Amino acid sequence: QQPVQSPQAVILREGEDAVINCSSSKALYSVHWYRQKHGEAPVFLMILLKGGEQKGHDKISASFNEKKQQSSLYLTASQLSYSGTYFCGTELGHGSSNTGKLIFGQGTTLQVKP
Amino acid sequence: NAGVTQTPKFQVLKTGQSMTLQCAQDMNHEYMSWYRQDPGMGLRLIHYSVGAGITDQGEVPNGYNVSRSTTEDFPLRLLSAAPSQTSVYFCASRGQEHTGELFFGEGSRLTVL
């Protein structure tokens, strides 16, 4: 039931782009994305509800393909501050509503070098 | 607003001891949850609650008890601690009829010897 993230780790130079993928074996109600810095709590990036929407703010965006049960997080023109571990969280649906059970993937470690 | 407050931040226990991790939120969120985080394992859901008096199991509930007598508080109890429960524990809450973002506490680092 735990979503699968790929890749497990990414090393970038400043200004480069990255894509982090998240896939589930079950139909999803929503997908969350969070970033966690070492020693800190996870911080919310965005949530995508079923409907195949795409969201973004600044140079970070995400897509959600409901049929494929997949979501991708896009980081463009990466900055040093983007370093951290990225987690996708998936929530299953129950009819037209959500179950309330938000399960996270194992994380993708992103390191941005100068 | 304080947001989500967890106590204690650090705790060392001996095997077999019991303890309670406290979690309180002041955002009037109905949904609250507990996760544990271990290296390479991501965040794993222990228990969650969609409102006062309602709790449900997550992915790894064994060895943990919860109760939700008020909207604000969601304590996590370890009745007989084991070394396998050494971890960082995060409490989180969410509003917007359970579809909003998760607000996390700062975490509690527990070591069981």
Side-chain angles (χ1 to χ4, degrees), chain A residues 40-95:
Chain A
E40 299 179 4
V43 173
F44 174 77
L45 293 175
M46 62 191 75
I47 179 173
L48 301 101
L49 302 178
K50 65 177 183 178
E53 63 180 295
Q54 185 154 354
K55 277 193 172 181
H57 62 85
D58 199 11
K59 297 188 174 82
I60 299 176
S61 62
S63 63
F64 177 23
N65 187 319
E66 184 185 344
K67 287 185 179 178
K68 291 185 177 181
Q69 296 152 196
Q70 294 175 347
S71 178
S72 295
L73 186 72
Y74 307 93
L75 300 104
T76 57
S78 58
Q79 307 166 14
L80 294 176
S81 61
Y82 286 4
S83 294
T85 301
Y86 290 78
F87 292 99
C88 72
T90 56
E91 187 171 23
L92 303 183
H94 183 71

Side-chain angles (χ1 to χ4, degrees), chain B:
Chain B
N1 286 345
V4 179
T5 303
Q6 290 182 232
T7 55
K9 289 188 169 43
F10 300 94
Q11 183 73 48
V12 179
L13 290 178
K14 293 182 179 179
T15 297
Q17 286 185 318
S18 63
M19 77 155 301
T20 299
L21 295 175
Q22 302 290 346
C23 177
Q25 51 92 10
D26 61 0
M27 297 173 282
N28 202 31
H29 286 168
E30 290 190 8
Y31 181 96
M32 297 185 73
S33 55
W34 277 102
Y35 291 88
R36 61 175 289 174
Q37 186 171 35
D38 305 293
M41 302 294 289
L43 294 152
R44 291 185 291 171
L45 181 64
I46 304 172
H47 286 285
Y48 65 103
S49 167
V50 297
I54 306 170
T55 63
D56 208 345
Q57 296 182 347
E59 304 170 271
V60 288
N62 292 342
Y64 306 95
N65 282 349
V66 291
S67 60
R68 185 90 181 274
S69 56
T70 67
T71 299
E72 295 77 21
D73 301 299
F74 191 43
L76 179 71
R77 296 182 185 86
L78 288 72
L79 296 179
S80 180
S84 61
Q85 294 178 304
T86 293
S87 188
V88 178
Y89 292 85
F90 287 101
C91 178
S93 71
R94 65 196 286 204
Q96 296 183 9
E97 298 182 353
H98 323 310
T99 59
E101 65 180 274
L102 277 177
F103 292 86
F104 284 88
E106 293 184 340
S108 298
R109 182 174 293 275
L110 176 66
T111 302
V112 183
L113 303 175

